[in-house]
Amino acid sequence: MVNHNSEHDRFGMADTGNVPRFPRSAVPAPHPQSGFCYRYIPFLVLLVTLFLSYQTWKNTRLLTQQELQLNFDHHTKAAYDNIIRRMAAYEQVLRGVQGFFEASRSVSKHEFAMYITTLRLEESYPGIQGIGFAPQLRHDRKAAHIAAMRAEGFHSYTLWPVGTRRQYAPVIYLEPTNERNRKVFGYDLLSESSRREALERARDNGTAALTAKLQLVQEGSRNPQPGCIMYLPVYRHGSAHRSIEQRRAELAGWVSAPFRMNDLMVGILGPQNDTLDIEIYDGNEISDKALLYDNDTARHTSGPAPRFQSRRSIEIGGRQWTMITSSMPGFEKTVHKRELTLVAVASIGGSLLLSLITWLLVSARSNALRAAYNARLTAHALQEAEKLAQIGHFDYDPRSDKTYWSEGLERIWGLEPGNHYRQFKEFLATVHPDDLQIILDSDADKSWHETNNEYRIIRADGEIRHIYSYGYRESAPDGTITRVFGINQDITERKRAEEAIIRSRDYYLQLLENFPSLIWRAGLDGKCDYFNRTWLAFTGRSMAQELGYGWAEGVHADDLPACLSTYYAAFESRRSFTMEYRLRHHDGSYHWIVDHGSPHLDAEGCFIGYIGSCYDINAQKNAELALKETHEQLEQRVAERTAALTEANQQLLESRTLLKNTQQQARLGSWSWDIASDRMTWSDELYAIFGWSRDLAAPGYHQHGMLFTPHSYACLDNAFARVLATGEAGILDLELEIVRTDGIHRFCLLHGEAVQDDTGAIVQLRGSLQDITERKQLEEQLFEARKLESIGQIAAGVAHEVRTPLNAILSITEALFHQPQIGHNPEYDQFLHHIRTQVNRLSLLMNDLLALGKPIPASSLHPVPLSELCRDTISIWQQSATGTARPVDFQSHISGTATVLVDGIKLQQALFNLLENASQHSPARSAITVALTTVPSREMACIRISDAGNGIPLGQLDKVFEPFYSNRKGGTGLGLALVKHFIENMGGTVRLWNNDPPPGCSAEVCVPLRDGDSA
């Protein structure tokens, strides 16, 4: 509000000063005429004209009612026709997909996705959720189907819901691929009755079939919509089949189109309006249970009964819908009230005009009274208009220094009506203190002729409202302000809407603000313009300190150059990046973090900067350092132990008085062999090393073959024979493997020398035998630790250096084959297939390398039924390329409920590798035996896999479990290494030996039984 006088400007409210003022009341009644004689003549004229007006209005209402009925029928039929046409169009889309399948020998997921993309469903067919395909699958082909899908790269693919059924119809294609449609992947359509009924009807009739009302699998838990699905059968070879039996025999699957009813009907009928209420029910039943769609849900619970209503039946895909169309108040007001009002106003106006003429003829006084009455009507209409538009007007009179407030203005300010005149200071008292200066500045400005302002007021009840003011100022020729007037409008709701829009724009920042990860954002110039609260809490710095390149101050000086180089290179090429560096924590220490950054795009796909997240990996880095220290300590212990043993041997030669104690501490025994008598003498410690009873004499030399492995005994015998043959009294040093009497193998170091008589002939061999099994185990542990560390480093390097180029190769190849001159040429298909196969092979190799370098956490071990797992593994393997023609003899000697505590996926992969290995080293069509047993004393369950091949050379038995060792052309050398890694990480053992008697070899895997389980 704006007003001024010659001394100062004022913001008040007043009427124009020329329109009469009336208190708030109903529409004023006309003043009665004076004079008795002529008083009733105009009244009689009015009665007659009003009667004629009523008859005219009555006839018009009847015609309008008929017009409304025709208009309602037209809209109802238009909605009915739109539904029929649109559903027919969707059926034609399905028929196109049906023809695509029937005209092709096979359709890959990529080809299907390309075809659906060309349909441009969202633009050309609004309301449809996607196009899918589900093959018909017998129960005996279930395992083969799952194996084939997993071989295509869907490693977690399975059929669901779980259960055994005669036939399945899993959804394997559903495009476009989005968050909703991914939920349906692998879902068996025949598992639910409504879908099954429609599928069977489509199959037997060869036509499109629509399901009953159902809830789509794509629906979430929030605001689910009713839905339905249209199915169309796909027959092999695309041939027409006359009989039901032929259709069932030649059925290949179904193509489908799911619909969310609200989205579908909005696409067909348009958005909700207040003219017609359209309800669609499944079948003939009219109930909430059968309700598919209703664009006016409130009509069910409130409001008057509709004036017009229509009921029609719709036949779609062999399913009947019932459409009930009802008129709404908006429709009933569209024509008849407008025309009736027009007729009534015109008729009454004519009556009033005729009566007015009569009044004018009767008395000039009547004209004056009628004019005053019309003026009062105008004022009342102005008041009603202000009420509807939330507008009030004001008028300031400098002569009286008073401002007039209209009734609408009093309503906006929340004031009691009646006191229309108020002073300027009363208005200032209602202005919000923060906006008061706006009023005062405008008051001080003398230059404006018209102006507008926005400010807030505080009503008497404490509510704050937003006001838009537009005012005019009139001045006399001498510059004196004579009048200020204008309007004020309540814009509170508009302001709230604008604030809601602003809040929604920054909503994602509010989500990121308390995200547990460290979040940052950069603009087009590469400078960071946002850090979330977690980042600031981590660094202990303010937002102002971190903005721009301030964050780099917290990066460790040794890591900063590489960090900035990676960031700038990725920003320049607009690609994602991952890097590790040390960032200063708020406590002053540096923490290792991993930073993942990606290009930030707006809603239209335009690049607007980068956004990234960081994770604290300091604990992981510390663990790596601790592992390295452990390795160093282990090496030191081995070195110290070796030095101690060497020192012990030296002391043994120097001081025989300490022989017994030294031998016990060093696991060292002495021996001597009298060659002439073949008498062998052992020390007490040697008896303990061999596990030989001290009550028995030491066996002769030629009986020592049972105390050593064949290979070790051969080495020993050759060394002794060489000494005896040459007569050289040299020193012997041999590392041998002994076999104790309890069957345990130990590693020993034999030291020997020859004793000569006076003639130089060798008469005795003597020396020591030391048990070095623990040292060998330490050396093996150290070797394995170094090897796994190397493998982990290789795996990480390969994953970073190989996977990214592989994905780039595959993406570039896919883009190349989208070129018309290449993609539509069949002769290039084999090259694309070869590239995909090789990339997938390398990806699998990368997965094996990563798996070999990772331990299996205890949290991954769960009870698994062993017998069921073995049967499933054999079934899946026999569906693979190598196991198709290979019989397997499965023998279970354990309880069917026995369970083992393992990682089921890792154990299944280990068994799969052993079956592959047995098949590749066995004659064609020879059987593989899989036997299950238990070892109660060890609480273990064992799986033995035996083949009929040539076995493994003895020299290679100790190497088969080593990584990258392979005796097969084209092998990676990781299969058996992964088996050993998986089984030992799950607390089990694995061993491999040649069958005795031949042929073939056997591999045995033993894993822990769950507590309480036994055979």
Side-chain angles (χ1 to χ4, degrees):
M1 295 176 298
V2 191
N3 61 344
H4 299 271
N5 59 19
S6 59
E7 298 178 355
H8 57 273
D9 296 342
R10 289 290 183 260
F11 283 70
M13 287 64 67
D15 197 4
T16 61
N18 299 321
V19 180
R21 315 288 189 226
F22 296 98
R24 180 183 306 169
S25 63
V27 178
H31 194 279
Q33 295 183 3
S34 61
F36 181 78
C37 296
Y38 301 99
R39 186 174 187 178
Y40 298 104
I41 295 176
F43 179 72
L44 291 175
V45 172
L46 181 62
L47 287 179
V48 172
T49 55
L50 287 179
F51 175 75
L52 295 176
S53 298
Y54 171 74
Q55 292 297 326
T56 303
W57 176 84
K58 185 175 180 182
N59 293 334
T60 304
R61 185 180 66 172
L62 180 60
L63 293 174
T64 303
Q65 190 76 4
Q66 294 173 353
E67 181 184 352
L68 275 175
Q69 182 66 55
L70 292 175
N71 195 18
F72 173 78
D73 294 340
H74 171 74
H75 282 80
T76 300
K77 186 177 186 303
Y80 173 84
D81 293 341
N82 286 340
I83 294 174
I84 293 294
R85 284 195 298 267
R86 183 62 63 83
M87 295 306 291
Y90 292 152
E91 181 177 344
Q92 284 301 114
V93 173
L94 281 184
R95 292 197 178 276
V97 180
Q98 178 193 41
F100 178 60
F101 273 93
E102 293 181 348
S104 304
R105 179 170 298 178
S106 65
V107 178
S108 67
K109 179 175 178 60
H110 175 71
E111 293 169 340
F112 182 80
M114 289 294 295
Y115 178 81
I116 299 304
T117 301
T118 60
L119 294 178
R120 302 171 67 182
L121 294 178
E122 295 184 359
E123 300 178 13
S124 303
Y125 304 97
I128 194 168
Q129 297 300 308
I131 300 295
F133 174 72
Q136 179 178 248
L137 185 67
R138 298 194 308 272
H139 175 70
D140 58 353
R141 295 295 298 166
K142 175 182 177 182
H145 171 74
I146 294 176
M149 292 299 291
R150 291 180 178 176
E152 290 183 9
F154 305 102
H155 303 295
S156 61
Y157 175 82
T158 187
L159 268 67
W160 65 285
V162 177
T164 302
R165 293 177 284 279
R166 185 170 60 88
Q167 288 184 336
Y168 305 86
V171 176
I172 63 173
Y173 300 155
L174 184 56
E175 296 293 336
T177 302
N178 52 39
E179 184 178 356
R180 287 183 184 272
N181 289 340
R182 288 193 190 97
K183 300 178 183 179
V184 192
F185 192 50
Y187 177 74
D188 180 15
L189 300 176
L190 289 172
S191 63
E192 192 270 327
S193 59
S194 296
R195 292 175 173 85
R196 184 170 57 253
E197 183 275 332
L199 289 171
E200 292 174 350
R201 176 155 45 87
R203 174 199 63 194
D204 294 344
N205 297 334
T207 59
L210 193 69
T211 65
K213 175 185 177 181
L214 50 76
Q215 181 170 324
L216 299 178
V217 178
Q218 292 97 320
E219 288 291 347
S221 58
R222 296 182 57 187
N223 301 323
Q225 297 182 17
C228 62
I229 309 174
M230 181 179 288
Y231 296 110
L232 198 62
V234 177
Y235 299 105
R236 295 182 183 89
H237 314 304
S239 57
H241 308 283
R242 297 181 178 178
S243 65
I244 293 179
E245 291 73 14
Q246 289 177 330
R247 293 190 183 105
R248 292 180 178 177
E250 293 298 326
L251 181 69
W254 296 267
V255 292
S256 61
F259 302 102
R260 300 176 81 220
M261 287 304 296
N262 289 359
D263 295 345
L264 175 65
M265 289 304 161
V266 168
I268 296 175
L269 303 175
Q272 177 180 346
N273 56 63
D274 61 348
T275 58
L276 292 180
D277 175 25
I278 298 177
E279 302 169 4
I280 298 178
Y281 296 87
D282 184 24
N284 293 320
E285 180 184 357
I286 306 303
S287 65
D288 290 341
K289 180 180 180 181
L291 181 63
L292 282 170
Y293 171 74
D294 183 5
N295 68 334
D296 181 30
T297 55
R299 189 65 178 255
H300 290 285
T301 57
S302 63
R307 179 173 297 180
F308 304 101
Q309 194 170 62
S310 171
R311 175 169 177 165
R312 288 172 177 256
S313 295
I314 306 175
E315 184 77 19
I316 300 175
R319 190 78 189 174
Q320 181 176 323
W321 286 354
T322 299
M323 184 179 81
I324 296 180
T325 309
S326 305
S327 63
M328 297 174 65
F331 175 81
E332 295 163 6
K333 294 177 181 178
T334 55
V335 178
H336 76 284
K337 284 197 175 181
R338 183 173 64 250
E339 294 187 355
L340 289 177
T341 302
L342 183 60
V343 171
V345 171
S347 300
I348 294 175
S351 300
L352 292 177
L353 181 59
L354 187 58
S355 300
L356 181 60
I357 293 173
T358 305
W359 279 95
L360 291 174
L361 294 175
V362 173
S363 174
R365 182 169 177 266
S366 296
N367 286 333
L369 292 176
R370 179 61 62 188
Y373 172 70
N374 289 337
R376 288 194 294 271
L377 285 177
T378 302
H380 180 76
L382 179 61
Q383 293 177 357
E384 293 300 317
E386 287 185 346
K387 181 177 180 181
L388 292 175
Q390 290 189 304
I391 294 176
H393 67 272
F394 62 89
D395 197 333
Y396 173 68
D397 183 2
R399 293 184 296 271
S400 61
D401 195 21
K402 289 185 179 180
T403 306
Y404 174 78
W405 294 46
S406 71
E407 184 177 331
L409 209 57
E410 292 176 334
R411 187 184 305 107
I412 293 174
W413 255 255
L415 301 174
E416 289 295 330
N419 183 17
H420 295 294
Y421 291 94
R422 290 177 173 83
Q423 295 181 347
F424 179 65
K425 64 180 180 180
E426 296 180 60
F427 161 69
L428 290 178
T430 64
V431 178
H432 193 284
D434 294 342
D435 298 341
L436 186 59
Q437 192 61 38
I438 298 174
I439 306 299
L440 298 178
D441 291 344
S442 181
D443 181 72
D445 185 3
K446 308 297 184 178
S447 62
W448 59 268
H449 174 68
E450 57 180 280
T451 187
N452 61 84
N453 290 306
E454 290 186 10
Y455 55 89
R456 291 168 293 172
I457 64 169
I458 303 177
R459 294 176 21 149
D461 56 5
E463 182 182 2
I464 297 176
R465 306 294 291 182
H466 290 263
I467 303 299
Y468 171 77
S469 178
Y470 195 92
Y472 293 87
R473 185 165 61 188
E474 294 180 353
S475 302
D478 59 356
T480 303
I481 299 174
T482 60
R483 182 185 178 194
V484 179
F485 60 96
I487 60 169
N488 285 344
Q489 184 178 15
D490 188 341
I491 58 170
T492 304
E493 298 304 323
R494 189 189 76 187
K495 283 292 186 179
R496 291 173 180 171
E498 291 173 354
E499 292 172 359
I501 292 174
I502 295 174
R503 288 195 300 270
S504 66
R505 290 175 180 171
D506 294 335
Y507 179 67
Y508 82 98
L509 290 180
Q510 297 176 11
L511 293 177
L512 297 178
E513 188 66 18
N514 296 315
F515 202 70
S517 301
L518 284 67
I519 306 297
W520 57 269
R521 186 184 67 187
L524 289 171
D525 56 358
K527 297 181 180 180
C528 291
D529 57 12
Y530 171 76
F531 295 90
N532 72 341
R533 185 177 296 132
T534 308
W535 177 292
L536 300 179
F538 181 90
T539 60
R541 288 161 58 92
S542 66
M543 180 71 75
Q545 292 174 311
E546 297 291 272
L547 291 178
Y549 294 108
W551 59 273
E553 298 175 2
V555 179
H556 196 281
D558 296 342
D559 302 335
L560 183 58
C563 176
L564 293 178
S565 176
T566 301
Y567 176 73
Y568 291 144
F571 203 96
E572 183 176 354
S573 59
R574 296 185 181 178
R575 56 178 173 82
S576 301
F577 66 85
T578 299
M579 59 181 174
E580 294 181 2
Y581 54 88
R582 286 165 289 181
L583 186 65
R584 187 168 56 240
H585 193 257
H586 63 78
D587 60 6
S589 63
Y590 283 90
H591 284 211
W592 280 99
I593 65 171
V594 58
D595 192 341
H596 304 279
S598 298
H600 187 199
L601 307 179
D602 61 14
E604 298 178 356
C606 297
F607 175 76
I608 58 175
Y610 263 73
I611 189 167
S613 62
C614 305
Y615 301 91
D616 190 338
I617 59 170
N618 204 53
Q620 177 183 342
K621 284 290 185 178
N622 291 338
E624 293 175 357
L625 294 175
L627 180 61
K628 183 177 180 180
E629 292 177 0
T630 302
H631 290 166
E632 294 174 353
Q633 293 175 0
L634 185 60
E635 290 178 350
Q636 183 179 358
R637 288 179 59 191
V638 172
E640 292 174 353
R641 182 66 180 272
T642 303
L645 292 176
T646 303
E647 183 180 357
N649 287 335
Q650 184 66 28
Q651 290 177 354
L652 176 63
L653 297 175
E654 295 175 355
S655 177
R656 293 183 179 277
T657 57
L658 300 177
L659 176 62
K660 185 174 182 179
N661 293 335
T662 305
Q663 287 179 342
Q664 291 177 349
Q665 294 176 0
R667 297 283 291 166
L668 182 70
S670 61
W671 57 272
S672 64
W673 176 36
D674 186 81
I675 299 174
S677 62
D678 191 25
R679 182 172 179 270
M680 185 69 70
T681 303
W682 287 357
S683 68
D684 291 342
E685 186 60 27
L686 206 61
Y687 277 94
I689 291 174
F690 282 107
W692 195 268
S693 174
R694 288 180 173 81
D695 297 333
L696 301 176
Y701 170 72
H702 296 291
Q703 296 176 313
H704 272 55
M706 62 182 177
L707 299 177
F708 295 89
T709 62
H711 175 72
S712 294
Y713 183 68
C715 294
L716 178 65
D717 191 49
N718 291 336
F720 279 13
R722 184 176 64 256
V723 171
L724 295 177
T726 60
E728 296 177 358
I731 297 176
L732 299 175
D733 285 298
L734 300 174
E735 186 175 307
L736 306 172
E737 184 178 0
I738 68 171
V739 182
R740 289 168 45 96
T741 57
D742 55 7
I744 297 176
H745 289 237
R746 307 283 291 182
F747 291 94
C748 295
L749 182 65
L750 183 138
H751 179 82
E753 62 181 4
V755 179
Q756 300 174 329
D757 60 8
D758 295 338
T759 64
I762 297 176
V763 296
Q764 188 184 49
L765 293 177
R766 65 187 180 188
S768 63
L769 185 73
Q770 183 181 12
D771 187 343
I772 61 171
T773 304
E774 293 182 358
R775 190 185 77 184
K776 293 284 288 184
Q777 291 175 347
L778 288 175
E779 291 174 350
E780 290 179 358
Q781 291 175 5
L782 177 60
F783 176 75
E784 289 295 330
R786 288 175 174 174
K787 182 167 61 178
L788 287 178
E789 181 181 6
S790 299
I791 291 173
Q793 294 174 352
I794 292 173
V798 167
H800 179 72
E801 299 295 338
V802 176
R803 273 185 169 173
T804 300
L806 283 179
N807 290 333
I809 291 171
L810 186 58
S811 298
I812 293 171
T813 305
E814 293 286 353
L816 182 62
F817 276 84
H818 279 84
Q819 298 298 319
Q821 62 272 27
I822 296 178
H824 300 296
N825 194 335
E827 66 178 281
Y828 292 106
D829 289 347
Q830 59 178 340
F831 300 113
L832 178 59
H833 176 74
H834 182 68
I835 292 173
R836 288 173 177 161
T837 302
Q838 294 305 316
V839 170
N840 289 335
R841 180 175 179 273
L842 288 176
S843 295
L844 292 175
L845 178 60
M846 297 304 101
N847 293 337
D848 289 345
L849 285 172
L850 290 173
L852 193 60
K854 291 183 180 178
I856 299 177
S859 60
S860 298
L861 305 182
H862 304 285
V864 176
L866 182 60
S867 179
E868 180 180 348
L869 182 141
C870 291
R871 293 181 190 275
D872 290 345
T873 304
I874 293 171
S875 175
I876 294 174
W877 177 76
Q878 286 183 319
Q879 302 299 325
S880 66
T882 56
T884 302
R886 181 74 64 180
V888 177
D889 180 17
F890 181 65
Q891 303 172 4
S892 178
H893 304 291
I894 66 174
S895 170
T897 60
T899 58
V900 291
L901 193 63
V902 296
D903 184 329
I905 296 177
K906 294 293 189 295
L907 179 57
Q908 193 173 50
Q909 184 176 348
L911 297 180
F912 199 101
N913 287 354
L914 291 175
L915 288 170
E916 285 283 312
N917 197 63
S919 175
Q920 292 166 357
H921 294 84
S922 298
R925 307 247 176 220
S926 63
I928 296 175
T929 302
V930 179
L932 304 186
T933 58
T934 57
V935 184
S937 61
R938 296 170 59 195
E939 296 184 350
M940 304 284 277
C942 296
I943 309 164
R944 181 175 298 173
I945 300 176
S946 303
D947 60 52
N950 295 327
I952 301 175
L954 293 178
Q956 298 180 8
L957 276 173
D958 297 336
K959 303 178 181 179
V960 293
F961 290 109
E962 295 180 1
F964 308 112
Y965 178 81
S966 175
N967 59 0
R968 179 173 58 86
K969 183 179 180 181
T972 62
L974 293 176
L976 291 179
L978 280 174
V979 172
K980 184 173 185 297
H981 175 70
F982 289 161
I983 299 304
E984 291 183 351
N985 268 260
M986 292 186 287
T989 60
V990 57
R991 62 192 185 100
L992 191 144
W993 68 91
N994 288 324
N995 294 334
D996 188 17
C1001 68
S1002 298
E1004 184 179 69
V1005 171
C1006 296
V1007 291
L1009 283 164
R1010 190 181 68 170
D1011 293 344
D1013 282 5
S1014 63

